[in-house]
Amino acid sequence: MKITYYGHSCFQLELDGAKVLFDPFISPNGLAKHIDVHSITPDYILQSHGHVDHIVDLVPIAKRSGALILSSWEIKEWLEKKQGLEKLHPMNIGGSKKLGFGTVKMVFASHSNSLPDGTYGGTAAGFLIRSEGKTIYYAGDTALTQDMKLIGELQPPDLAFLPIGDNFTMDVDDAIIAAKFIRCTRIIGMHYDTFGYIEIDHEEAKRKFAEAGLELTLMNIGETIAY
Ligand code: NI
Ligand code: MN
């Protein structure tokens, strides 16, 4: 598995040969100016919710790459009827879809969800991905929630992407509790530093995770790591 970070909550995973992109928000991100959006050519895009800081580059990337987009039913309807996209797969919380690289399950996120024009987006979501014999949890934007305990009981992830920037989502302290709920020791942080509201102290965040017996990775934007 390869993981590339494009800033904010946007990652691309290479899973069993497939490129799987999450929540594309790159071109307006001042921290991601060095990323060439045109170089991103995913096979699949997993969309956690429709807020502008997650979706702004979705339509151009999807049109150029022909990627299949997995999202809530409501986002799928908006992409089809208002944006003219066709390669869409609607889901809802609790459902799974088998794809070439593995299985994607849409799970609950405690957050709001609307599209940039105000259209209702359904329930905000996270994803549990099963591929290459591993389980990966992409939490999306979320508060700490009791539902995370179910993930820990039923399908503890090998690796989890958790928001840590506070204000709109969990902060570092709640993300540490979330990691315990889901029973995962290897965490990649997301949804921090992009705006003034969510700036964090990197060293303090890593120290707090380490003190809790957890490993927090804060990737550089544009960096690719193997896992
Ligand atoms: Ni959001
Ligand atoms: Mn957000």
Side-chain angles (χ1 to χ4, degrees):
M1 181 195 317
K2 272 193 206 163
I3 306 162
T4 302
Y5 187 39
Y6 293 121
H8 200 48
S9 294
C10 183
F11 295 85
Q12 183 167 273
L13 306 188
E14 273 188 58
L15 297 169
D16 207 12
K19 289 182 280 183
V20 184
L21 184 71
F22 295 78
D23 287 12
F25 171 81
I26 301 148
S27 55
N29 184 354
L31 303 178
K33 284 202 173 86
H34 56 296
I35 304 297
D36 176 12
V37 179
H38 295 269
S39 70
I40 303 171
T41 54
D43 302 297
Y44 301 90
I45 304 173
L46 272 55
Q47 194 64 39
S48 71
H49 67 300
H51 287 158
V52 72
D53 62 313
H54 297 259
I55 206 169
V56 81
D57 291 304
L58 173 66
V59 173
I61 290 175
K63 283 190 173 160
R64 195 171 51 244
S65 65
L68 176 67
I69 302 168
L70 282 78
S71 71
S72 70
W73 169 266
E74 291 82 359
I75 291 177
K76 174 256 172 199
E77 287 284 285
W78 185 80
L79 291 171
E80 190 171 64
K81 290 172 180 162
K82 303 266 180 71
Q83 307 295 326
L85 291 178
E86 290 172 357
K87 285 188 73 181
L88 302 163
H89 181 77
M91 300 183 74
N92 212 327
I93 306 301
S96 295
K97 171 70 178 168
K98 269 201 180 125
L99 298 161
F101 63 87
T103 302
V104 173
K105 183 173 189 179
M106 183 173 266
V107 295
F108 181 71
S110 184
H111 194 67
S112 58
N113 187 11
S114 55
L115 281 309
D117 65 0
T119 303
Y120 170 64
T123 306
F127 296 101
L128 266 180
I129 296 115
R130 185 85 194 144
S131 179
E132 299 184 4
K134 294 192 176 84
T135 299
I136 303 138
Y137 174 45
Y138 179 90
D141 279 8
T142 185
L144 177 65
T145 160
Q146 293 275 354
D147 285 60
M148 291 168 176
K149 288 184 181 172
L150 274 179
I151 294 173
E153 276 176 34
L154 301 176
Q155 213 176 347
D158 299 285
L159 176 69
F161 295 82
L162 299 180
I164 56 172
D166 204 359
N167 196 74
F168 300 114
T169 68
M170 298 190 283
D171 65 357
V172 166
D173 297 320
D174 279 358
I176 287 169
I177 299 168
K180 290 176 180 168
F181 280 5
I182 62 174
R183 299 182 193 172
C184 180
T185 57
R186 176 118 202 251
I187 307 300
I188 294 182
M190 62 182 186
H191 214 273
Y192 61 91
D193 283 0
T194 317
F195 324 105
Y197 294 125
I198 59 173
E199 279 173 10
I200 65 159
D201 180 330
H202 291 206
E203 292 315 310
E204 183 187 42
K206 286 182 197 166
R207 179 179 52 75
K208 283 182 170 180
F209 270 82
E211 284 170 3
L214 306 166
E215 184 193 341
L216 175 69
T217 301
L218 300 178
M219 291 179 67
N220 296 315
I221 297 174
E223 181 186 12
T224 298
I225 58 175
Y227 174 68

